[in-house]
Amino acid sequence: MQGKWLAVAVLVCIAGAFLGLSSCGHSQELVSIAIQPTTETFGASNIPVIDNAGAQVQLRALGSYIHPQVTKDITNKVTWTSNTPQMITVDSAGMITVTGGPCGATLISATVTTNSNPGGISSSGALITGYMTANVVCFTASGGGAGSPALTATFSGNGSGTITSSPTGLSCASPSACVAQFVSGSTVTLTASPISGSTFGNWVGCDTPNSTNPCTVTLTANRTVTATFN
């Protein structure tokens, strides 16, 4: 009888050891990333975009793991990217900053290279990415306030380019329009710069001839100019 119980005990020990090895057979695996906050909005329709320059928000990246199931703060372990850095930048620690140039929506991503798929199968270069949206509200007020008319820059054509101003305040890249306020009576010089193999076409709405680049605008009321890139 003693031999029988000893055999049972040995079998139990072996089974326990086997189960222990099985439970440890999987390394902890990252399966998803969530960014907090999921959305963030800067500015208002009655505030010039340039006035939002320097506004910041700290993002957090939370990784969901299995084996065992747990959530960890991986903010400093992900690769942060902004798909519109001329609008909102993001540093390696997840701090987003408004540039004060273009307005609209920016997609911010946090990525980890896992080299495996969600099933744990080896997959060289496999990525897990989380996203959040950061918005900069465009200035749309009909008046810029006493002594502060607004200058709006827009784009046309099939090409790509940027528009910048002197004095500074207006800066945007196609296709996103931008708006800035300047002191009434001031002369603003606008420069159109083609990118990605495009060429400058012409201006519409400036005080100088359409073919002239840069162009100038003397602001005494709200104005809109358009740069064409081919």
Side-chain angles (χ1 to χ4, degrees):
M1 181 65 71
Q2 269 188 326
K4 178 180 178 182
W5 286 114
L6 180 60
V8 171
V10 169
L11 289 174
V12 170
C13 289
I14 292 174
F18 178 77
L19 289 174
L21 288 173
S22 298
S23 65
C24 296
H26 296 284
S27 59
Q28 193 169 55
E29 182 183 344
L30 176 66
V31 293
S32 65
I33 298 173
I35 300 177
Q36 294 182 343
T38 56
T39 60
E40 187 69 35
T41 299
F42 300 92
S45 61
N46 62 343
I47 299 175
V49 175
I50 188 62
D51 289 353
N52 299 306
Q56 294 182 314
V57 167
Q58 175 65 55
L59 304 181
R60 293 179 65 208
L62 301 179
S64 294
Y65 292 81
I66 57 175
H67 310 310
Q69 187 171 347
V70 66
T71 299
K72 298 181 181 180
D73 189 326
I74 57 173
T75 301
N76 295 320
K77 297 180 180 180
V78 300
T79 299
W80 292 97
T81 306
S82 167
N83 78 335
T84 317
Q86 66 268 30
M87 184 187 305
I88 295 179
T89 62
V90 60
D91 66 15
S92 60
M95 179 71 76
I96 58 174
T97 304
V98 180
T99 66
C103 58
T106 298
L107 199 63
I108 306 293
S109 63
T111 302
V112 170
T113 302
T114 64
N115 292 323
S116 64
N117 70 10
I121 300 174
S122 177
S123 180
S124 178
L127 305 175
I128 292 181
T129 303
Y131 298 94
M132 66 85 62
T133 302
N135 304 293
V136 178
V137 180
C138 295
F139 178 77
T140 58
S142 59
S148 299
L151 177 60
T152 302
T154 63
F155 296 89
S156 68
N158 297 321
S160 301
T162 62
I163 299 173
T164 56
S165 69
S166 178
T168 59
L170 191 151
S171 176
C172 49
S174 59
S176 300
C178 53
V179 183
Q181 288 178 294
F182 298 90
V183 175
S184 181
S186 62
T187 297
V188 181
T189 300
L190 298 166
T191 301
S193 302
I195 58 176
S196 302
S198 300
T199 59
F200 169 73
N202 63 277
W203 283 101
V204 174
C206 297
D207 295 335
T208 46
N210 290 346
S211 59
T212 302
N213 184 38
C215 81
T216 60
V217 176
T218 299
L219 279 179
T220 56
N222 293 345
R223 296 274 296 271
T224 298
V225 296
T226 301
T228 299
F229 293 98
N230 302 312

